[in-house]
Amino acid sequence: MTLSVLRRSSFNLLAVCLTIALGAVIAMDGAGLALGQDAVPSGSRTLVRTGMLLDVVSGAETAGQTVIVVGDKVTGIAATSATPAGAGDKVVDLTKYTVLPGLIDVHTHLTGATNFDPYFELTMTPAKEAIIGVENAKVTLEAGFTTVRNVGASGYTDVALRDEINAGHIPGPHMQVSGPPLGITGGHCDENLLPFEYHVTGDGVADGIAAVQQKVRQNIKYGADLIKICATGGVLSKGDDPQASQYTLEEMQAIVADAHRLGRKVAAHAHGAQGILWASEAGVDSIEHGSYLDEAGIKMMKAHGTYFVPTAYLIDWMQEYGKLPPFYMQKMKDVSAVEKANAKRAIKAGVKVALGTDAAVYPHGLNAHEIDVYVNQFGMTPIEGIRTGTLNAADLMGWSDKVGSIAVGKWADLIAVEGDPLKDVTVLQHVQFVMKSGVIYKDQTVKP
């Protein structure tokens, strides 16, 4: 039996594995808090009393405010002194904390594990990915990231994960998911670890205009919210070059045309300068990584309004903790040597930036370290760094009416931290309180 057959067979185990994983989560959260049993009954209010409330739109912090939540939405924001609790209201006391919108990560792999040993990679199955995804979704939510884009998962495991979260069966962030990423034969999104006789290819491999159009339509058929493509080679893949373009301009134009016509945005993994240029010209909505981004690419991205998703903290983490096989490690060193300087140049030139981490390359839950890099290495102000993971990320996702700021009519996604993130963004790495859609999933503000 070939590996591809094994993978197809294991996909049938997804429902069983999700059920097992759900049981594990329930066991870990005996109080039921993470599973949303603290939900607000229909028709009553939750009054979130804040110490300081950060308005990410204006950058202002206001003391003594109350966020009024009914169901899963914010219905009002008013001075606490003018918002007395009524009969049946629930009061959440965050008066010693700074409250801000739930954070957004537009480049995650929740179904991925931080293990790049080739044998481990070859033994990965959709069933395992589904179980891993349940764990990582919870960790990510509790880190204060109430919304994510998942850009690449085999076997549509991210679709299953999103649907189970939306159904309220497991805790996790709001998700947009891509399903299998599209790539060329032998490229970064293919399966290149096994020899020819196994005839194994990645789920999203497609070559030529007709084939990539069919793959876009197939991903949408099976539940993708966006399309992820590999415009260049990558780092954590065998036999390809991060600087080399993969899809042709014409293939990417066909992908974008079909995706946009069918209401889906396109995220392009792109390290090399030529691939960045072509992907931006083709009309993709975001460039992920952008390691070898040059002046021509910057100009093209600005002309098209293309977002840049730097995924920069992974460089720091890898330099300190990374243990990669040699054929991955050398590419990581090469990319790391240029990526941050080019990111700084793009930011200085005014390219739009949205927060993305590539979590799974390093452990899930460390996502907020990305903001620290933007502020303390790339030169953003704290509010600019925070906006990459709120307003900008929401705009890239097309969800500005749902997330990205605390406002009437949006989902009640709130986090609380000790200290002032406008003075020290590292406080965002230690979130004390998480509410998603009006449900409290983490509360460390009540001391024993």
Side-chain angles (χ1 to χ4, degrees):
M1 183 180 291
T2 68
L3 183 62
S4 59
V5 173
L6 285 170
R7 283 178 169 168
R8 287 195 299 271
S9 299
S10 63
F11 182 69
N12 295 327
L13 297 174
L14 281 176
V16 173
C17 292
L18 283 168
T19 301
I20 294 171
L22 174 59
V25 171
I26 293 173
M28 289 187 290
D29 292 281
L33 185 62
L35 293 179
Q37 292 181 15
D38 199 40
V40 180
S42 177
S44 65
R45 303 187 305 173
T46 296
L47 305 180
V48 182
R49 310 292 199 192
T50 71
M52 299 295 291
L53 182 64
L54 175 57
D55 180 352
V56 294
V57 178
S58 68
E61 290 176 309
T62 306
Q65 298 293 294
T66 291
V67 180
I68 304 167
V69 176
V70 176
D72 63 352
K73 300 285 196 337
V74 172
T75 60
I77 302 170
T80 297
S81 60
T83 317
D89 287 344
K90 174 182 177 180
V91 176
V92 177
D93 183 3
L94 299 178
T95 53
K96 295 181 180 179
Y97 300 86
T98 299
V99 174
L100 63 156
L103 298 171
I104 305 169
D105 187 338
V106 298
H107 191 120
T108 64
H109 299 280
L110 293 186
T111 61
T114 312
N115 186 335
F116 300 99
D117 175 81
Y119 179 77
F120 179 86
E121 291 188 281
L122 287 173
T123 59
M124 183 56 65
T125 65
K128 286 183 181 179
E129 285 194 19
I131 295 172
I132 289 169
V134 171
E135 177 184 358
N136 292 335
K138 180 176 182 290
V139 168
T140 301
L141 178 61
E142 292 183 350
F145 283 78
T146 54
T147 302
V148 303
R149 267 192 340 178
N150 204 79
V151 284
S154 63
Y156 299 97
T157 50
D158 54 353
V159 173
L161 181 64
R162 176 203 65 198
D163 292 350
E164 290 299 295
I165 291 170
N166 288 347
H169 297 157
I170 55 176
H174 305 291
M175 294 182 69
Q176 288 186 358
V177 303
S178 73
L182 275 62
I184 66 168
T185 298
H188 178 60
C189 293
D190 201 354
E191 173 56 78
N192 298 330
L193 292 173
L194 287 169
F196 167 75
E197 56 263 33
Y198 287 92
H199 302 290
V200 174
T201 60
D203 293 342
V205 171
D207 303 300
I209 290 174
V212 299
Q213 287 177 319
Q214 188 275 334
K215 194 65 71 172
V216 167
R217 297 166 189 177
Q218 176 175 292
N219 275 11
I220 293 172
K221 172 182 178 179
Y222 292 115
D225 301 302
L226 72 148
I227 301 299
K228 161 77 176 292
I229 67 172
C230 290
T232 74
V235 174
L236 298 174
S237 50
K238 184 180 179 182
D240 59 320
D241 180 357
Q243 294 197 60
S245 56
Q246 293 192 162
Y247 276 129
T248 65
L249 173 60
E250 292 76 17
E251 286 171 318
M252 287 192 282
Q253 287 172 328
I255 290 168
V256 171
D258 257 29
H260 284 179
R261 180 173 54 79
L262 295 171
R264 305 306 195 275
K265 294 192 175 187
V266 180
H269 159 104
H271 287 285
Q274 183 68 73
I276 293 169
L277 184 69
W278 281 352
S280 301
E281 183 179 351
V284 302
D285 299 280
S286 61
I287 295 293
E288 319 289 311
H289 314 305
S291 302
Y292 295 92
L293 181 58
D294 61 11
E295 294 300 330
I298 289 172
K299 183 178 179 180
M300 186 67 73
M301 290 177 71
K302 289 186 69 178
H304 285 258
T306 312
Y307 267 96
F308 175 35
V309 181
T311 65
Y313 175 65
L314 70 85
I315 295 173
D316 296 344
W317 191 90
M318 275 292 173
Q319 288 174 343
E320 187 169 359
Y321 304 109
K323 295 180 181 180
L324 296 173
F327 57 92
Y328 292 160
M329 182 58 77
Q330 187 56 54
K331 290 197 286 183
M332 181 63 73
K333 289 179 179 178
D334 293 343
V335 164
S336 299
V338 300
E339 184 169 355
K340 286 187 177 179
N342 291 330
K344 285 188 201 178
R345 187 180 303 113
I347 291 167
K348 187 176 180 180
V351 174
K352 297 187 296 183
V353 177
L355 185 152
T357 63
D358 216 1
V361 174
Y362 63 87
H364 298 271
L366 303 180
N367 312 60
H369 287 260
E370 187 77 12
I371 299 176
D372 183 27
V373 175
Y374 297 168
V375 172
N376 293 312
Q377 296 184 41
F378 292 172
M380 291 186 183
T381 65
I383 190 61
E384 287 171 342
I386 292 168
R387 284 171 179 156
T388 68
T390 52
L391 297 174
N392 295 8
D395 180 52
L396 172 57
M397 295 178 72
W399 274 9
S400 293
D401 60 334
K402 297 180 175 70
V403 296
S405 63
I406 300 173
V408 173
K410 292 190 178 185
W411 284 326
D413 296 349
L414 314 175
I415 63 173
V417 295
E418 292 182 300
D420 184 353
L422 296 186
K423 294 178 180 177
D424 179 10
V425 294
T426 65
V427 301
L428 298 171
Q429 298 167 21
H430 309 285
V431 172
Q432 304 295 310
F433 174 92
V434 178
M435 172 184 282
K436 175 200 156 199
S437 293
V439 178
I440 299 171
Y441 286 88
K442 178 181 182 180
D443 189 355
Q444 295 180 343
T445 66
V446 180
K447 307 299 182 184

